[in-house]
Amino acid sequence: MSILNICLACDDNYAKYAGVVIASVLLNSKEDESFVFHILAYHLSEENIANFLALKNLKNCEIKIITPTEDFFEVCKEVRTLSHITLPSYFRLRAASLLDVEDRVLYLDSDIIVEKSLSELYFTDFEDNFCAGVVDHLGRSDGIINSGVLLINLKKWREENAEKLIFDYIEQNKEKISCGDQEIINDVFKGKILQLPDMWNVQTLNFYSFSTYEMNYGIVHFIGGSKPWLFGSFMPFKKKFFYYMSKTGWGSPSALWQFVSNVYSYLRYLKRVPFFWLRPRFFKALQNGVFRYLKSFN
């Protein structure tokens, strides 16, 4: 049986969305896959912890709640970065120290859903790289990796004391860093990050996929500030997201809430971009095949 170690980080506000990620992993896994979920937790309530543990009912798995010491991340509090980047975003930078895992772990952000078995991704050959990920299609133009889905070579991190490299970099650049952990990972490991196919981090916002769309998508990532759980958000895969949420102890919003939210999102989008079909981005979306999965709106 294959054992996959999956790492997530969250606080109380994002706990339910991390639960959606876990539910989607378990519900799309193969019979011979076994999972250990390492949740790097920041101030979690007892209710949220109980809901995490209840996810074992979907498929037998191990769920470990790990509470990092804040002192471990003091320098991260001094980083001047985007307002939505919170302290748990930096927890992945200490994965080699915090996790009792031998050689590799797959880190997943809490604003994604997994749509297929992760074994193909998880057992990727690192080829002596520190980590592996998909290009960030909203970032700089020099091929930086989106850190929301990150396969981490823990063995190499430990052998080459990667955490010291990371936190020395943060100390020296804390007033210059603008994109949080993602910028840190890409700058520290530049030239030693394996690029993965887009299917493992399909980055979607509004009607548009910023990734090279593949019908055989594995992971969908809701980038930007518009998330599927926000009222009036406009994006594909919302129905899938709420399906996975309904399988958790947190439950999903009512069918009425979802319907009203969808109607409002369409009206708001048309008001904001009434001639959206005239935009070059719209035609690029068609070219990428995004409308093959617009059925997920229904």
Side-chain angles (χ1 to χ4, degrees):
M1 177 171 283
S2 302
I3 300 177
L4 285 70
N5 287 282
I6 312 294
C7 179
L8 303 96
C10 68
D11 56 16
D12 250 1
N13 294 324
Y14 261 71
K16 65 177 68 175
Y17 313 125
V20 172
V21 179
I22 295 174
S24 69
V25 171
L26 294 175
L27 292 171
N28 289 291
S29 63
K30 294 180 179 177
E31 188 175 343
D32 63 348
E33 291 174 340
S34 178
F35 294 92
V36 181
F37 293 97
H38 308 262
I39 301 172
L40 306 181
Y42 186 61
H43 298 169
L44 283 190
S45 68
E46 292 298 320
E47 179 182 0
N48 279 329
I49 291 174
N51 282 334
F52 272 126
L53 297 178
L55 291 166
K56 296 179 183 181
N57 295 328
L58 296 178
K59 180 178 180 176
N60 188 34
C61 62
E62 188 173 354
I63 296 178
K64 297 182 177 180
I65 309 292
I66 302 164
T67 305
T69 305
E70 277 195 53
D71 294 346
F72 231 19
F73 299 92
E74 280 301 318
V75 69
C76 297
K77 297 177 181 179
E78 302 176 47
V79 174
R80 298 177 179 179
T81 187
L82 302 173
S83 59
H84 70 272
I85 297 179
T86 59
L87 192 61
S89 300
Y90 297 100
F91 287 176
R92 75 199 77 182
L93 303 179
R94 293 283 193 186
S97 297
L98 293 170
L99 305 184
D100 183 21
V101 178
E102 185 176 347
D103 61 351
R104 68 178 61 210
V105 70
L106 177 61
Y107 176 87
L108 299 175
D109 266 351
S110 297
D111 56 351
I112 74 168
I113 54 173
V114 174
E115 289 285 273
K116 66 176 296 185
S117 162
L118 291 174
S119 285
E120 180 184 341
L121 166 61
Y122 186 82
F123 293 106
T124 298
D125 184 353
F126 281 114
E127 301 176 7
D128 196 41
N129 291 290
F130 281 95
C131 52
V134 174
V135 168
D136 187 291
H137 293 279
L138 282 184
R140 304 179 315 213
S141 59
D142 53 352
I144 67 168
I145 297 300
N146 182 287
S147 63
V149 178
L150 196 68
L151 187 63
I152 301 174
N153 187 346
L154 294 175
K155 186 174 184 290
K156 187 172 180 66
W157 279 38
R158 293 177 182 127
E159 288 174 348
E160 302 199 19
N161 202 3
E163 287 189 15
K164 185 178 188 307
L165 297 176
I166 290 170
F167 283 86
D168 283 351
Y169 174 89
I170 296 174
E171 185 62 49
Q172 296 162 13
N173 298 277
K174 57 191 175 186
E175 296 185 358
K176 303 175 186 177
I177 297 168
S178 60
C179 293
D181 63 279
Q182 180 162 296
E183 181 176 340
I184 295 164
I185 289 168
N186 278 275
D187 285 353
V188 172
F189 300 138
K190 189 173 183 178
K192 280 292 185 178
I193 303 177
L194 179 67
Q195 185 174 325
L196 298 171
D198 274 5
M199 66 176 288
W200 293 119
N201 190 344
V202 175
Q203 298 151 44
T204 184
L205 177 65
N206 293 334
F207 68 84
Y208 183 70
S209 169
F210 288 87
S211 306
T212 302
Y213 180 71
E214 298 184 39
M215 198 60 187
N216 190 31
Y217 51 84
I219 293 176
V220 178
H221 189 180
F222 302 105
I223 59 174
S226 183
K227 306 299 184 185
W229 57 83
L230 297 177
F231 184 82
S233 62
F234 182 82
M235 63 187 59
F237 291 102
K238 280 178 65 174
K239 184 177 180 181
K240 277 288 188 73
F241 177 87
F242 287 123
Y243 167 74
Y244 294 127
M245 180 173 268
S246 73
K247 301 299 181 180
T248 73
W250 291 277
S252 61
S254 68
L256 177 61
W257 185 96
Q258 294 183 47
F259 174 77
V260 175
S261 175
N262 284 337
V263 171
Y264 178 72
S265 73
Y266 301 148
L267 295 175
R268 189 177 68 166
Y269 193 79
L270 285 171
K271 180 179 179 180
R272 189 170 75 247
V273 193
F275 300 105
F276 66 89
W277 60 86
L278 298 179
R279 304 173 74 195
R281 181 179 291 180
F282 176 76
F283 291 100
K284 188 174 181 181
L286 283 176
Q287 180 182 351
N288 287 347
V290 69
F291 285 104
R292 294 180 186 176
Y293 63 84
L294 278 180
K295 63 181 181 181
S296 61
F297 278 127
N298 301 321

